[in-house]
Amino acid sequence: MGDIRRREAIALFGGAAAWPLAARAQQPTMPVIGFLNATSPDTYADRLRGFRQGLKETGYAEGENVAIEYRWAEGQDDRLPSLATDLVRRKVAVLAATSTSTALVAKAAATTIPIAFMVGEDPVRLGLVASLARPGGNATGINFYGGELTAKRLELLRELVPTATRVAVLINSANAAVTETTLRDVEPAARAMGLQIQVLNASTSREINAAFAMFVGERPDALLIALDPFLNSRRAQLVNLAARHAIPAAFSNRDIAEIGGLMSYGTNLADVYRQLGFYTGRILKGAKPADLPVVQASKFELVINAETARMLGLTVPDKLLATANEVIE
């Protein structure tokens, strides 16, 4: 009799415990976003906030009605294809690609999964879309013109350092698409201004140190840092080395000027991430990338760190002070 009661009890409580599991199994599953980034999360807090804000504007909140699978390449672009393939294998609802290199890898890996990208140059030339107005495939996003502003960045650097005749340009050759755009724009611009340029490659932290070590024997008058996710992730190292060698340096992102870089000119990337989140949310709601026009960034910020300028013995011209969006004192 005791065994019968025990079996009945097990059946009763076992069945009761199974009910919530069954109920949960019938709940609709959250859509999953695949988030692909070439660097690491430790320097991306503001940008991730922007991305989540964009999602929120379309009615999505991470952990509530959408999940995000993050994949970080930690500055190693050769890891991107396998990371993208993993997200495709997981059948994410949308792939969010956060740079030119990640967008190209995502496009190669995902033939049917929708892709929302942000790139620093013409996505038509990159082969990501058929046209800006009608992308036509499974990808669309934002062009924030980071690479295509290289010539303007060089011009502003020359205004800040009018005596400069030799400018070093630091690139990451592992990021081939961005490097091509940078050199295509900077070389004719330098010739037009009568500047000699020296191109130096830095694809690792050690190579950044080696590039600056060369300046001891052959010091340039100024330094232009190419737009690149890896170089941006090493911003503290670059700012410290530029200060140690007393070299005026121009960057693409305002967050570098905020930590001591001399100047930056480019799009506010936190806002670009917000736009990326917004487009990702629209796609989750059913919009087709083929019909969503590529967003063209139209607002660019000049940020000058006046304290760094004084440390370098530079006087910021009144014209630059007047046109700067922000002067950091």
Side-chain angles (χ1 to χ4, degrees), residues 33 50-51 53-58 60 93-96 114-118 129 132-133 135 139-143 271-296:
I33 298 165
F51 182 74
Q53 175 60 35
L55 283 173
K56 188 176 179 182
E57 290 171 15
T58 58
Y60 289 100
V94 186
L95 253 174
I115 298 168
F117 60 70
M118 50 182 282
V129 297
L132 299 177
T140 189
I142 301 97
N143 177 9
D271 188 60
V272 176
Y273 270 79
R274 182 194 63 78
Q275 292 176 306
L276 179 67
F278 182 78
Y279 253 30
T280 301
R282 287 193 62 186
I283 292 169
L284 284 176
K285 283 189 173 296
K288 291 181 174 22
D291 302 327
L292 285 175
V294 173
V295 176
Q296 302 277 78

Side-chain angles (χ1 to χ4, degrees), residues 29-280:
T29 56
M30 283 186 199
V32 179
I33 298 165
F35 183 97
L36 187 61
N37 189 285
T39 61
S40 56
D42 54 348
T43 57
Y44 271 73
D46 287 347
R47 296 172 197 182
L48 287 174
R49 272 195 293 272
F51 182 74
R52 292 174 183 132
Q53 175 60 35
L55 283 173
K56 188 176 179 182
E57 290 171 15
T58 58
Y60 289 100
E62 183 179 8
E64 293 180 16
N65 59 356
V66 70
I68 305 178
E69 285 277 347
Y70 296 95
R71 295 294 181 273
W72 306 88
E74 305 288 345
Q76 300 173 52
D77 279 6
D78 57 349
R79 293 183 57 204
L80 288 172
S82 62
L83 295 176
T85 300
D86 179 51
L87 291 171
V88 170
R89 192 182 298 120
R90 290 172 183 268
K91 295 183 169 56
V92 296
V94 186
L95 253 174
T98 56
S99 65
T100 297
S101 57
T102 58
L104 291 170
V105 166
K107 183 74 171 174
T111 54
T112 56
I113 293 174
I115 298 168
F117 60 70
M118 50 182 282
V119 294
E121 52 211 290
D122 182 4
V124 177
R125 189 180 67 80
L126 292 171
L128 292 169
V129 297
S131 75
L132 299 177
R134 302 280 294 181
N138 66 322
T140 189
I142 301 97
N143 177 9
F144 59 92
Y145 290 109
E148 294 172 347
L149 297 176
T150 302
K152 179 64 175 178
R153 211 170 284 123
L154 182 63
E155 178 188 324
L156 291 167
L157 180 59
R158 177 66 179 278
E159 287 185 40
L160 192 49
V161 191
T163 58
T165 58
R166 294 176 60 254
V167 177
V169 180
L170 195 64
I171 61 166
N172 171 17
S173 62
N175 193 343
V178 170
T179 295
E180 180 189 343
T181 301
T182 299
L183 297 182
R184 186 192 66 216
D185 291 349
V186 77
E187 287 171 345
R191 281 197 301 271
M193 286 183 264
L195 294 173
Q196 299 172 29
I197 63 167
Q198 177 187 13
V199 178
L200 299 171
N201 177 56
S203 302
T204 66
S205 178
R206 183 176 297 177
E207 288 179 353
I208 291 174
N209 288 333
F212 276 88
M214 291 177 61
F215 298 157
V216 174
E218 196 174 350
R219 186 181 182 281
D221 300 314
L223 174 64
L224 185 69
I225 309 293
L227 169 77
D228 173 77
F230 166 70
L231 292 176
N232 182 67
S233 74
R234 303 304 306 169
R235 53 186 174 269
Q237 179 185 6
L238 289 166
V239 167
N240 289 336
L241 285 169
R244 188 184 308 164
H245 291 268
I247 296 177
F251 302 86
S252 56
N253 301 331
R254 67 172 294 133
D255 50 3
I256 305 182
E258 288 170 353
I259 64 168
L262 174 61
M263 62 161 283
S264 67
Y265 180 71
T267 315
N268 185 320
L269 287 185
D271 188 60
V272 176
Y273 270 79
R274 182 194 63 78
Q275 292 176 306
L276 179 67
F278 182 78
Y279 253 30
T280 301

